[in-house]
Amino acid sequence: MKPLAPKSIAAPFGQYSHGIAAGPVVVTSGQLALRPDGTIPDGVEAQADFCFEAVRAILAEDGLDFSDVLRFSAFVTRREDMQGYMAARDRACADLEVKPASTLMIVSGFTRPEFLVEVEALALRRG
């Protein structure tokens, strides 16, 4: 197994890896919209865009991109945030010939109340 830790995103909150590559499989930890400078974008859609960019950076550490993603799993704190999340997801997947599977759950909250969405991915190296 190989840990994936891009320098372009904030360090993990604790003793875990942002991503793990294990043979052809890459999994990411859930990504929150915490910029390296400690700021958090306003609104669920902007946060989701940032989460997808963090996931993209983790996958790139092992030479993968969104075309390798089997599934995105995401979590929002309010039902009304589903549309903003889905708009960000749809932009992230717009150019993909095969769209990844997608799971979206509503949860009671995250580690800080400012966080509105979390995104993780499961990817598979092809060929």
Side-chain angles (χ1 to χ4, degrees):
M1 292 191 308
K2 175 175 88 171
L4 305 173
K7 302 282 188 231
S8 62
I9 62 178
F13 292 158
Q15 296 299 309
Y16 64 91
S17 297
H18 276 311
I20 294 288
V25 175
V26 173
V27 295
T28 73
S29 292
Q31 296 300 301
L32 296 163
L34 182 65
R35 295 179 177 131
D37 67 3
T39 61
I40 300 169
D42 289 330
V44 69
E45 195 166 335
Q47 286 191 23
D49 284 333
F50 189 90
C51 293
F52 279 107
E53 288 308 309
V55 169
R56 186 185 313 271
I58 294 165
L59 295 173
E61 286 283 299
D62 201 49
L64 292 124
D65 60 34
F66 283 173
S67 69
D68 301 300
V69 173
L70 298 171
R71 178 177 55 200
F72 286 114
S73 296
F75 312 87
V76 295
T77 58
R78 301 176 310 171
R79 187 166 268 105
E80 57 266 29
D81 287 338
M82 291 172 59
Q83 278 191 310
Y85 162 75
M86 289 188 295
R89 184 208 50 213
D90 291 351
R91 277 192 300 279
C93 297
D95 296 331
L96 299 177
E97 184 177 327
V98 176
K99 309 298 186 206
S102 181
T103 298
L104 177 61
M105 292 171 264
I106 300 168
V107 298
S108 63
F110 300 111
T111 55
R112 290 172 45 186
E114 302 94 328
F115 294 128
L116 303 174
V117 61
E118 183 171 337
V119 178
E120 62 187 28
L122 171 65
L124 180 67
R125 181 180 313 287
R126 296 169 289 146

